[in-house]
Amino acid sequence: MNNCVFIIFSYLLLFIVTTTASQLVAVGEGGDDTNNGVMKKKCWDKERDALLLFKAPLQDNPIDTLSTWTEEDDECCKWSGVICSNPTGHVTGLDIKGYDLRGEISRSLLNLTYLDYLDLFYNSLHGTIPTFIGSLTRLRYLDLSYNNLNGTIPRSIGSLSELRHLNLGRNNLNGTIPTYIGSMTRLRHLDLSSNSLYGTIPPEFGNLTNLQQLNLRSDNGGFRVENIEWLSHLSHLEELYMDGISLSKQNHWVNVILSLPKLSILSLQGCELSQVMYPYSSFLNSSSSSIESLYLVNNSLTSSMYRWLFPLTSNKLHELSLSYNMLDGIPKYLGNLCSLETLYFDNNSAVVKFPDFLNNLSGCTSNALKRLSASYNQFTGSLSREIRKFSSLEHLDLSNNLLNGNIHDLFDTGISDTTPQEFAYMWPSQLKYLNLSSNNISGKVPDLSSNFANRSVIDLSSNSFSGPVPNVPSTLSSLNLSKNKFSGGISFICQIVDGFLSFLDLSHNSLSGKLPDCLWHFKHLEVLNLGHNNLFGRLPPSIGSLIELKVLYLYKNDFSGDLPLPLKNCTSLISLNLGANKFSGNVPVSIGENLTGLYVLILRSNNFFGTIPLQLCQLANLQILDLSLNNLHGTIPSCLSNLTRMVQPGFTQDAEYYRFITDRLYRVETYVDHAMIKWQGDEREFISTLKLLKIIDLSSNNLTGQMPYEITNLYDLIALNLSKNALSGEIPQKIGEIKNLLTLDLSRNRFSGRIPSSMSQMSLLNDLDLSFNNLSGRIPISTQLQSFQPSRYNGNARLCGPPLTKSCPGDEESKAPPLIGKSEGDEEDIDELWGWFYIGGGMGFATGFWIVCGTLLFNRRVRHAFFHFFDSFKDWVYVKVAVFITSFQKH
């Protein structure tokens, strides 16, 4: 008996020891890290393998944000985006938002059994939402928004009973909203916005009584609301977005909104609110509204809406948007909202007297209002001095109205006047944004160095201001004085010393003197435009301090000397235009070695000499290369075929529009890149179509040798000008393979031999000049080559054939063959055939027309999709046709 007890006791002791050891391993394996005396596990093998399997099918971004996820690294808890529990080492969360990952969501997530947080926001994931997602029952947070996911919302999501946060917005999900989402009663945040969902919003959503944020924005108008009463049960709701959902049949909706005691943000944009017959009942909850931000844009509202707007407003309201309606003013009670900081009243169609509009805001609202945007209205009258009561105003936009009278702060309103003496004292102190552009204001500008806040913006462009440029604030972020009549030097820029300046445009004035050597202040400058002035001298060495500069435009000045070596430090440049100056020396090899982001390189009309550096062939993004009108010699580099952007279709996405955001104004300023280009013999300024051009212009130099055959690999080139050089040999036989070529100028060289027959394939060619060479033989027959004037072939004594009057050897006059065998009966048969053709064609057109139009009339989804496609197609056609329009104007 004792032996049995001893054996049983031994087994029991062994079991306890083994179990204890296993538990210690589970907590402390893999290292000596502790957390309050408890051992931490660094990573579980099963979970590390699951993460690697999750990564495997995904295509990472160029920055390789998942580079830390490797088999060699056992400590997966230290991997980027991985969240682990300290005591156990289990993976509890994945926070990999904004990683730009491409691919599908892997089933390996199932092995992360402790996962309670999954954030895949703002990637490029595609495919459907996997059904296995419902097996991750510990999930409390799930964000799959801003991806390319499609299909329906899987029913299994309803199994995630612990979920507090569900965001599926900004995808391509379709089908109806599942009713079972209404059973996920622990949800605090629900976002299904901007998908292709349709159908009735389930009234079961009224069960989500813990919901704090609900976003159901519909971009396709697919949602319907049968009865909005379910909203009144969401007593914890703080934010509600129902943009694009028709509420036209929802009587008493205002009462429902007022029943939500915590609601602070309400967005009902494009909800057809003007069609609601009874927006509120005679009895309204007398408690004050809690709404802080209210957006009622695009509802065709008239001023009758102010009756039901009143109970929705209170002194808690900070932001109100009434744009894109038909309002003819505002009620006086909006002037008593003492916390209202932002008012949007753009694009209202009724005529409004602006002094009356301003007077109705002149209560305590005038002390709080910081931003008033009321552009594209029909405001009449003048900008009264009541504006001075708005002491907190930082941004005022009254563009595109019918205002007149004296100036206080206006732009693009057709004003023609001189600046008054008190000009600098007519705006509030600490102004952040002053825009008087696109008027006809003349006179001298007073001192601007005071009354402006940090990182402020001044735009006086496109006026008739004259005299020297005044003192400016030292804390500017943007200064645009272009297209005026300013004169004198530009040493004033050295006053801008606080390093905020990102945009400086002084072009199209009469400024003179040297560019001061104080550019080291401008480490954040991104656009520097000094073109079309009278500036002279060498570029200062401090130009190399502009390390964030994207656009340098010095066209048409009198700058001279070699390009400074520090220019190579400006590695962010995408557009470099130094044309029409007096620069000299060799074209720096550093342009090709260091400025690899360039899509525009214009050095035309200078005094550069030497050969074309081979390093320019490294500029893979280059679309415009203009070295014309210099003293360059040597041969054309054959490596120009390495200019990838001229080989492949498409253009640089950020080339034409360079955007930046001014501080705290949330107003996007646009710089439109532009350039003077020699196009079909004339110098023209290209602005909106510049990024569509792909041009090489090496004309008017001293280049010799043959035209390299490799240049025919530039399949997407649209203009090639090698004229006025000393090039010799034959024109490459495959030149016709550059089928997108619109203009080709090889005139005034020493080319010999025949015109390549492949040129007959160049169907888009509308400007050709081969004159004054040594070409011989027959001009190939094609629709294009015979359409040019004979002068385009002059100076080639041995060239023959149309359009030249000189016949080629062996040519005989052609005679038209007589018509034989045609009888009256044949004519009748032909007439009958054509008659049936017209009848059939008419019937076919009518049938096809009504099939298409009937579908568009009775199928709302097809109609929306068609017109969305049509708008996109129209924009695409516009940019493509723009180049052709300019080319045909000459003819």
Side-chain angles (χ1 to χ4, degrees):
M1 183 68 180
N2 291 338
N3 292 335
C4 291
V5 172
F6 176 78
I7 293 173
I8 293 172
F9 180 79
S10 300
Y11 275 115
L12 181 62
L13 181 62
L14 180 62
F15 174 77
I16 294 173
V17 171
T18 304
T19 303
T20 305
S22 299
Q23 291 176 343
L24 287 173
V25 169
V27 178
E29 181 183 335
D32 297 327
D33 296 338
T34 60
N35 180 40
N36 296 327
V38 180
M39 300 293 292
K40 287 195 306 182
K41 176 170 174 56
K42 293 185 177 178
C43 196
W44 290 78
D45 291 342
K46 178 181 176 183
E47 296 178 353
R48 183 174 65 88
D49 293 342
L51 292 174
L52 291 174
L53 288 172
F54 173 77
K55 174 189 174 182
L58 297 179
Q59 180 182 350
D60 207 348
N61 58 38
I63 306 176
D64 199 15
T65 46
L66 297 185
S67 59
T68 57
W69 294 32
T70 63
E71 292 188 37
E72 293 75 21
D73 188 356
D74 292 334
E75 300 184 7
C76 67
C77 293
K78 295 183 179 179
W79 291 357
S80 174
V82 177
I83 304 170
C84 291
S85 166
N86 274 343
T88 66
H90 284 294
V91 175
T92 58
L94 289 181
D95 185 0
I96 48 180
K97 56 179 174 285
Y99 278 23
D100 195 24
L101 302 174
R102 292 171 171 80
E104 297 188 0
I105 301 173
S106 170
R107 289 183 58 87
S108 65
L109 290 180
L110 284 173
N111 290 327
L112 302 177
T113 52
Y114 292 86
L115 199 67
D116 61 23
Y117 185 97
L118 179 58
D119 191 347
L120 302 177
F121 161 79
Y122 206 74
N123 283 283
S124 298
L125 301 172
H126 60 260
T128 60
I129 298 176
T131 56
F132 70 76
I133 207 85
S135 300
L136 302 174
T137 54
R138 291 178 182 259
L139 275 181
R140 298 165 63 94
Y141 187 103
L142 176 60
D143 193 335
L144 303 178
S145 62
Y146 284 84
N147 282 285
N148 299 315
L149 299 171
N150 54 44
T152 59
I153 300 173
R155 186 174 186 84
S156 60
I157 278 187
S159 303
L160 302 178
S161 57
E162 298 294 323
L163 209 59
R164 268 67 167 175
H165 180 108
L166 176 60
N167 191 344
L168 305 178
R170 298 281 179 177
N171 280 288
N172 300 313
L173 302 174
N174 52 55
T176 59
I177 300 178
T179 57
Y180 53 77
I181 290 182
S183 66
M184 304 171 71
T185 55
R186 295 191 177 186
L187 278 176
R188 306 286 191 273
H189 175 113
L190 176 60
D191 190 337
L192 304 177
S193 64
S194 299
N195 280 286
S196 299
L197 299 166
Y198 59 88
T200 302
I201 298 174
E204 288 84 355
F205 276 18
N207 298 327
L208 305 177
T209 54
N210 289 311
L211 212 57
Q212 297 173 1
Q213 185 183 70
L214 176 60
N215 191 343
L216 299 176
R217 171 177 176 165
S218 175
D219 293 335
N220 62 353
F223 285 153
R224 297 192 309 273
V225 178
E226 296 293 342
N227 191 325
I228 204 172
E229 284 296 326
W230 57 267
L231 264 178
S232 60
H233 301 292
L234 309 183
S235 58
H236 290 89
L237 198 63
E238 298 175 4
E239 300 180 18
L240 175 61
Y241 306 88
M242 297 185 70
D243 305 337
I245 302 174
S246 176
L247 300 179
S248 59
K249 298 180 181 179
Q250 302 306 311
N251 290 329
H252 305 161
W253 68 267
V254 174
N255 299 67
V256 174
I257 295 300
L258 290 175
S259 69
L260 305 174
K262 296 185 179 181
L263 192 67
S264 62
I265 298 177
L266 175 62
S267 185
L268 301 177
Q269 305 183 52
C271 293
E272 300 181 335
L273 296 179
S274 63
Q275 300 181 29
V276 182
M277 190 169 295
Y278 303 108
Y280 61 96
S281 65
S282 57
F283 174 76
L284 280 177
N285 192 335
S286 59
S287 62
S288 177
S289 169
S290 60
I291 297 175
E292 298 178 8
S293 299
L294 178 58
Y295 307 97
L296 301 175
V297 175
N298 191 25
N299 279 291
S300 301
L301 298 170
T302 62
S303 292
S304 63
M305 58 87 66
Y306 290 128
R307 293 194 303 271
W308 54 257
L309 179 65
F310 177 73
L312 295 175
T313 61
S314 72
N315 277 332
K316 295 179 181 179
L317 192 65
H318 292 293
E319 184 171 354
L320 175 62
S321 183
L322 302 175
S323 298
Y324 291 90
N325 286 294
M326 296 184 290
L327 302 170
D328 61 358
I330 56 173
K332 282 198 171 183
Y333 69 76
L334 289 186
N336 298 321
L337 302 177
C338 301
S339 298
L340 189 64
E341 297 181 345
T342 301
L343 174 61
Y344 293 100
F345 197 82
D346 305 282
N347 291 84
N348 278 283
S349 55
V351 176
V352 181
K353 292 182 179 179
F354 186 69
D356 296 343
F357 179 89
L358 212 56
N359 185 58
N360 284 353
L361 284 176
S362 59
C364 65
T365 300
S366 63
N367 297 322
L369 201 64
K370 294 182 179 180
R371 183 183 184 94
L372 173 59
S373 184
S375 63
Y376 290 92
N377 290 298
Q378 296 194 53
F379 282 152
T380 61
S382 61
L383 183 59
S384 74
R385 295 190 179 274
E386 292 290 316
I387 195 68
R388 302 170 93 175
K389 293 181 179 179
F390 292 77
S391 56
S392 299
L393 198 64
E394 296 179 355
H395 178 88
L396 175 64
D397 188 348
L398 299 175
S399 60
N400 293 282
N401 278 287
L402 304 173
L403 296 169
N404 53 35
N406 294 326
I407 311 163
H408 302 282
D409 183 7
L410 299 173
F411 70 95
D412 197 18
T413 53
I415 294 175
S416 179
D417 207 340
T418 58
T419 51
Q421 290 183 349
E422 66 273 19
F423 179 67
Y425 306 99
M426 296 177 67
W427 53 74
S429 60
Q430 296 302 299
L431 189 68
K432 291 190 68 67
Y433 187 86
L434 174 64
N435 191 339
L436 301 176
S437 64
S438 301
N439 286 289
N440 190 26
I441 308 172
S442 59
K444 294 184 178 180
V445 179
D447 192 312
L448 297 175
S449 58
S450 59
N451 280 5
F452 284 90
N454 286 343
R455 303 189 181 187
S456 50
V457 174
I458 296 178
D459 189 347
L460 306 181
S461 63
S462 299
N463 281 287
S464 298
F465 291 115
S466 59
V469 178
N471 293 329
V472 295
S474 62
T475 59
L476 280 176
S477 69
S478 176
L479 177 62
N480 191 345
L481 305 180
S482 64
K483 298 181 180 177
N484 279 286
K485 299 176 182 178
F486 287 114
S487 58
I490 60 172
S491 58
F492 72 91
I493 67 173
C494 297
Q495 302 169 9
I496 310 172
V497 296
D498 285 4
F500 300 138
L501 193 68
S502 62
F503 182 94
L504 178 60
D505 191 345
L506 307 178
S507 63
H508 292 274
N509 281 288
S510 298
L511 298 168
S512 58
K514 296 182 177 182
L515 179 60
D517 192 16
C518 61
L519 303 182
W520 52 76
H521 297 309
F522 307 142
K523 294 189 184 300
H524 297 293
L525 189 65
E526 299 182 5
V527 173
L528 176 58
N529 190 343
L530 304 177
H532 300 272
N533 279 291
N534 302 313
L535 301 170
F536 58 84
R538 293 174 174 268
L539 295 184
S542 59
I543 200 167
S545 302
L546 307 180
I547 55 176
E548 294 187 13
L549 194 67
K550 290 182 171 63
V551 177
L552 178 58
Y553 190 99
L554 304 180
Y555 190 83
K556 209 164 188 180
N557 280 283
D558 287 309
F559 289 113
S560 59
D562 294 355
L563 297 184
L565 185 62
L567 184 64
K568 68 179 182 180
N569 297 330
C570 303
T571 55
S572 298
L573 275 172
I574 62 171
S575 179
L576 177 60
N577 192 334
L578 308 180
N581 280 284
K582 296 177 181 177
F583 290 114
S584 58
N586 291 291
V587 176
V589 298
S590 59
I591 291 179
E593 293 176 340
N594 298 83
L595 311 184
T596 54
L598 284 178
Y599 91 101
V600 172
L601 176 59
I602 298 178
L603 304 179
R604 74 185 309 263
S605 191
N606 278 287
N607 297 318
F608 289 110
F609 52 80
T611 60
I612 300 175
L614 299 178
Q615 288 79 2
L616 294 187
C617 299
Q618 301 175 23
L619 301 176
N621 292 319
L622 202 62
Q623 289 183 206
I624 299 175
L625 173 61
D626 190 347
L627 305 179
S628 62
L629 292 161
N630 280 287
N631 298 311
L632 301 173
H633 65 265
T635 60
I636 299 175
S638 60
C639 62
L640 288 181
S641 60
N642 294 336
L643 301 179
T644 310
R645 189 59 66 180
M646 298 189 188
V647 177
Q648 300 172 349
F651 46 82
T652 306
Q653 294 299 317
D654 62 349
E656 178 186 357
Y657 294 103
Y658 163 65
R659 300 175 184 273
F660 64 94
I661 301 177
T662 58
D663 181 58
R664 288 196 300 162
L665 286 176
Y666 305 103
R667 179 186 179 92
V668 177
E669 294 297 325
T670 303
Y671 172 78
V672 182
D673 202 5
H674 55 94
M676 299 297 296
I677 302 290
K678 187 177 181 182
W679 181 260
Q680 299 183 355
D682 298 323
E683 190 174 47
R684 303 182 185 180
E685 184 172 28
F686 285 81
I687 304 177
S688 61
T689 56
L690 182 64
K691 70 174 181 180
L692 299 178
L693 300 183
K694 294 185 179 182
I695 291 176
I696 293 179
D697 190 345
L698 307 178
S699 63
S700 300
N701 281 287
N702 301 312
L703 299 173
T704 57
Q706 294 186 339
M707 177 179 171
Y709 72 89
E710 289 87 354
I711 213 166
T712 63
N713 294 329
L714 302 177
Y715 303 120
D716 216 39
L717 196 66
I718 69 168
L720 176 62
N721 191 346
L722 304 179
S723 65
K724 299 178 183 177
N725 280 288
L727 299 170
S728 59
E730 295 185 348
I731 300 173
Q733 290 299 313
K734 293 185 178 181
I735 194 169
E737 294 187 2
I738 315 179
K739 291 191 168 97
N740 288 332
L741 212 57
L742 300 178
T743 177
L744 174 62
D745 192 347
L746 303 179
S747 64
R748 299 185 184 275
N749 279 285
R750 300 172 185 171
F751 288 115
S752 59
R754 293 178 174 271
I755 297 176
S757 59
S758 65
M759 289 184 65
S760 62
Q761 306 170 18
M762 303 171 79
S763 58
L764 299 180
L765 196 64
N766 56 47
D767 184 69
L768 173 68
D769 196 345
L770 301 178
S771 61
F772 299 98
N773 280 287
N774 298 317
L775 299 171
S776 59
R778 183 189 300 274
I779 298 173
I781 301 297
S782 77
T783 305
Q784 297 299 105
L785 298 183
Q786 274 65 48
S787 67
F788 299 112
Q789 295 294 324
S791 61
R792 300 303 181 95
Y793 300 98
N794 282 352
N796 294 282
R798 294 185 291 168
L799 212 54
C800 61
L804 298 177
T805 57
K806 180 182 177 181
S807 298
C808 295
D811 283 353
E812 295 181 0
E813 293 186 5
S814 60
K815 296 181 180 180
L819 295 174
I820 58 174
K822 187 174 182 180
S823 66
E824 185 176 344
D826 292 335
E827 291 181 356
E828 292 178 357
D829 290 341
I830 291 173
D831 289 341
E832 183 180 5
L833 179 63
W834 278 106
W836 283 110
F837 172 78
Y838 290 134
I839 293 172
M843 294 177 63
F845 173 79
T847 303
F849 176 83
W850 283 111
I851 288 174
V852 174
C853 289
T855 303
L856 292 177
L857 283 172
F858 300 111
N859 192 318
R860 183 174 185 178
R861 291 187 66 208
V862 172
R863 183 168 65 253
H864 280 282
F866 171 77
F867 285 110
H868 176 74
F869 165 78
F870 179 77
D871 286 341
S872 301
F873 181 72
K874 178 184 65 177
D875 293 340
W876 180 84
V877 170
Y878 171 76
V879 295
K880 288 295 184 183
V881 170
V883 176
F884 291 99
I885 291 177
T886 58
S887 66
F888 284 120
Q889 285 177 346
K890 184 173 182 181
H891 299 292

